[in-house]
């Protein structure tokens, strides 16, 4: 079932036009701006496939995920980017202590109204979120909401969902 949702959502995302994606990114950026403060450390991501792209903001210090192995990732304040494993652009720079992150923007394939998510199924974010005390924000297109994601014990709940339509507390 989870796999069917993954497949379905990947397909739906890919069917969006370039201008629909751009529009969604801009709308999300406007909501996000209201949450950011200059002294924050913000963990974002570099969109790949048809993920909702997070546009840069002048506020705060930003860091991005780098995959370490099959199951773990770290967050890096980038000096530069390079295409890494899976074809995602990955940062080169200094690793941050997960405890220092104030806001983490979490990519996802689907989310439910309780704040649980379905990702690519490797558990990278599930593991990383356990180490964070940050405000956890799932970023999604509106259609990525589903009735249930069948969370297991290891799944970490998100605090907020950010979509082009606005910010929802979950
Ligand atoms: N932009 C972005 N960066 C991110 C993530 C993300 O979801 N989005 N990640 C969040 O986890 C990590 C990368 N996770 C990934 C997990 C699976 C696949 C992937 O392509 N899986 C194949 C299956 C291949 C295999 O089993 O080896 C697939 O889905 O077809 C790619 C990235 C770290 N960086
Ligand atoms: N904290 C953890 N420690 C060890 N294993 C974990 C942890 N979190 C998740 N896993 C394992 O990782 C795998 C992927 O988990 P899950 O089905 O929740 O994927 P997902 O939510 O789609 O993942 P992702 O975080 O990659 O987006 C599962 O086999 C799960 O048991």
């Amino acid at each position: 079932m989870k796999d069917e949702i993954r497949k379905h959502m990947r397909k739906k995302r890919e069917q969006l036009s370039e201008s629909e994606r751009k529009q969604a990114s801009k709308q999300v950026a406007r909501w996000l701006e209201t949450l950011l403060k200059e002294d924050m450390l913000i963990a974002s991501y570099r969109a790949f496939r048809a993920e909702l792209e997070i546009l840069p903001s002048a506020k705060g210090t930003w860091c991005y995920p780098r995959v370490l192995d099959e199951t773990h990732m770290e967050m890096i304040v980038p000096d530069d980017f390079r295409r890494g494993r899976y074809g995602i652009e990955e940062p080169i720079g200094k690793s941050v202590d997960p405890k220092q992150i104030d806001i983490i923007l979490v990519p996802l394939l689907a989310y439910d109204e309780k704040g649980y998510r379905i990702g690519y199924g490797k558990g990278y974010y599930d593991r990383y979120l356990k180490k964070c005390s940050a405000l956890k924000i799932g970023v999604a297109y509106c259609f990525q909401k589903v009735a249930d994601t069948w969370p297991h014990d290891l799944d970490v709940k998100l605090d907020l969902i950010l979509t082009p339509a606005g910010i929802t507390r979950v």
Side-chain angles (χ1 to χ4, degrees):
M1 200 56 204
K2 265 197 183 185
D3 259 345
E4 271 158 41
I5 290 182
R6 285 189 181 104
K7 250 189 234 153
H8 173 74
M9 291 301 178
R10 279 172 73 155
K11 204 159 142 204
K12 274 199 92 159
R13 263 186 351 194
E14 267 145 35
Q15 285 167 348
L16 293 170
S17 69
E18 190 67 26
S19 74
E20 285 170 320
R21 275 179 222 168
K22 285 229 166 83
Q23 175 79 6
S25 289
K26 275 193 206 153
Q27 286 170 321
V28 157
R30 276 181 34 215
W31 296 116
L32 182 58
E33 198 63 24
T34 67
L35 299 173
L36 302 183
K37 297 201 172 67
E38 191 47 58
D39 61 353
M40 281 180 170
L41 179 58
I42 302 138
S44 182
Y45 59 86
R46 293 294 284 232
F48 87 124
R49 297 189 178 132
E51 280 173 350
L52 212 159
E53 189 185 347
I54 304 293
L55 298 172
S57 161
K59 269 192 228 160
T61 302
W62 290 59
C63 57
Y64 298 86
R66 188 174 79 93
V67 164
L68 291 169
D69 57 30
E70 282 294 308
T71 47
H72 293 89
M73 63 181 195
E74 62 180 344
M75 290 286 176
I76 304 265
V77 178
D79 296 321
D80 202 357
F81 287 92
R82 189 164 51 200
R83 210 162 285 278
R85 200 194 290 222
Y86 309 117
I88 305 175
E89 288 207 354
E90 294 197 326
I92 300 164
K94 200 172 162 289
S95 181
V96 309
D97 172 358
K99 291 270 173 296
Q100 300 300 316
I101 299 172
D102 296 294
I103 287 186
I104 182 164
L105 300 170
V106 185
L108 49 79
L109 282 168
Y111 70 95
D112 65 27
E113 60 188 13
K114 296 197 194 83
Y116 291 104
R117 59 182 275 283
I118 297 177
Y120 291 115
K122 293 230 181 217
Y124 283 110
Y125 273 94
D126 289 335
R127 288 185 187 80
Y128 197 81
L129 290 174
K130 284 234 151 40
K131 299 186 261 181
C132 295
S133 43
L135 184 70
K136 302 168 184 70
I137 307 181
V139 184
Y141 297 104
C142 299
F143 61 76
Q144 287 176 290
K145 184 173 179 185
V146 295
D148 200 353
T149 61
W150 307 279
H152 51 69
D153 296 348
L154 298 169
D155 279 339
V156 178
K157 234 169 103 115
L158 302 165
D159 299 305
L160 301 175
I161 305 288
L162 180 57
T163 72
I167 303 166
T168 319
R169 189 171 291 279
V170 280

